[in-house]
Amino acid sequence: MKKILIVTNWKLNGTKKTIKKLIKKYKKIINKTKNIKIIIAPPLIYLDYTKKKIKKINIELAAQNIDLHLSGAYTGETSIKMLKDIGIKYVIIGHSERKIYHNENNNIIEKKFNLVNDNRLIPILCIGENYTEYKNNQTKKICIQQIKSILKNTKKKLIKKLIIAYEPIWSIGTNKYPKPKEIQKINKYIKSYIYKKYKELHNKTIIQYGGSVNINNFYEIIKQPNVDGTLIGNASLNGKNFVSMIKQIL
Ligand code: PGA
């Protein structure tokens, strides 16, 4: 059985009460998931709280974002130094909602990616095309352009793991998604590109899929040979459904 990485992105959702409940549900499957790793990305303010709740369980945590600066007069921001301080290992970078609502472009994403990597944390890099690009058969081109521009100055030696989530922008939160076979093709293409271009990343590369993954399509998607995991938003907020979803691959 292949290794699978599931990242659950809770976005701007939750309270202490709902998080406590959700973790209780997640716990039901955690010890049965030898080949499956689960990383939760709660809202920043609940990272520490969630950390306490997952003590002694095999779940890791990711931040949904970081600021470009390490400290200083940047009201409302959180730095990589602070994440390190509370023991966080992963950071989601380049999510399309940050591009849409916070004007993050490839230049900012590249800087954030390298900041995380240089600080020996692990970025979870989201890439993907919009609907017009998808319709015009430009997905492969767009994904490779994004990877190239983001990794161009990265210190490859420092990369512990290269986690890339292929997330078509048009499928995030829309209940629309490419056919599993199309996802397989794209993930395979991305992986072979990375293998060809960066030989040193051979055993370190994980290519996930994200965008409207739900209880009905999860199995079909995850069983594709080049899908090493999924990044799940909405469907990870319903504990019962999430557990049933993961049970399909236990
Ligand atoms: P969704 O979100 O599963 O709700 O479509 C996925 C994501 O934002 O990565």
Side-chain angles (χ1 to χ4, degrees), residues 58-97:
N58 195 13
I59 294 185
E60 307 235 34
L61 291 177
Q64 296 175 17
N65 180 40
I66 43 147
D67 188 48
L68 281 174
H69 305 92
L70 295 180
S71 62
Y74 303 101
T75 303
E77 299 298 344
T78 303
S79 76
I80 191 90
K81 246 170 124 181
M82 294 165 181
L83 292 180
K84 261 180 133 170
D85 191 35
I86 63 162
I88 303 304
K89 286 198 198 140
Y90 299 85
V91 186
I92 297 176
I93 299 289
H95 193 281
S96 64
E97 283 152 14

Side-chain angles (χ1 to χ4, degrees), residues 9 11 95 97 167 171-174 210-213 231-235:
N9 178 9
K11 308 190 182 188
H95 193 281
E97 283 152 14
E167 298 212 302
S171 75
I172 294 174
T174 56
S212 294
V213 174
L231 204 166
I232 310 174
N234 201 33

Side-chain angles (χ1 to χ4, degrees), residues 26-156:
Y26 277 38
K27 273 187 186 168
K28 290 194 173 166
I29 35 147
I30 286 314
N31 292 329
K32 301 175 185 146
T33 56
K34 267 200 187 138
N35 56 324
I36 307 166
K37 188 184 176 88
I38 296 183
I39 300 175
I40 302 174
L44 278 169
I45 188 146
Y46 292 127
L47 269 172
D48 214 25
Y49 177 77
T50 312
K51 191 161 184 255
K52 283 180 191 127
K53 291 288 152 208
I54 59 166
K55 237 188 219 164
K56 295 192 199 133
I57 353 173
N58 195 13
I59 294 185
E60 307 235 34
L61 291 177
Q64 296 175 17
N65 180 40
I66 43 147
D67 188 48
L68 281 174
H69 305 92
L70 295 180
S71 62
Y74 303 101
T75 303
E77 299 298 344
T78 303
S79 76
I80 191 90
K81 246 170 124 181
M82 294 165 181
L83 292 180
K84 261 180 133 170
D85 191 35
I86 63 162
I88 303 304
K89 286 198 198 140
Y90 299 85
V91 186
I92 297 176
I93 299 289
H95 193 281
S96 64
E97 283 152 14
R98 298 229 35 106
K99 291 183 188 164
I100 297 166
Y101 304 120
H102 302 273
N103 299 322
E104 285 194 7
N105 54 29
N106 277 353
N107 185 27
I108 295 176
I109 296 167
E110 186 216 337
K111 284 193 180 129
K112 288 191 174 181
F113 183 93
N114 289 329
L115 186 63
V116 175
N117 194 51
D118 292 351
N119 277 280
R120 314 305 312 266
L121 269 73
I122 302 176
I124 300 168
L125 174 67
C126 301
I127 58 166
E129 81 287 2
N130 64 31
Y131 193 64
T132 315
E133 290 159 348
Y134 171 71
K135 277 288 160 206
N136 291 333
N137 253 323
Q138 290 178 307
T139 302
K140 286 180 182 167
K141 190 180 107 194
I142 297 293
C143 288
I144 299 305
Q145 267 175 5
Q146 290 174 357
I147 293 174
K148 262 190 192 163
S149 93
I150 287 149
L151 291 184
K152 65 177 188 286
N153 296 318
T154 300
K155 293 176 193 134
K156 311 287 182 312

Side-chain angles (χ1 to χ4, degrees), residues 161-173:
K161 276 221 157 13
L162 180 66
I163 305 176
I164 295 181
Y166 164 52
E167 298 212 302
I169 297 167
W170 54 273
S171 75
I172 294 174

Side-chain angles (χ1 to χ4, degrees), residues 181-197:
K181 287 268 176 275
E182 290 179 271
I183 297 173
Q184 158 62 16
K185 267 192 198 153
I186 300 300
N187 277 32
K188 190 174 174 196
Y189 189 81
I190 296 171
K191 212 180 244 182
S192 0
Y193 171 80
I194 288 167
Y195 283 2
K196 230 194 283 157
K197 181 114 192 199

Side-chain angles (χ1 to χ4, degrees), residues 170-171 175-180 182-183 209 211-212 214 217 221:
W170 54 273
S171 75
N175 226 3
K176 293 189 183 106
Y177 45 90
K179 293 192 184 80
E182 290 179 271
I183 297 173
Y209 168 77
S212 294
N214 60 43
N217 62 20
I221 293 173

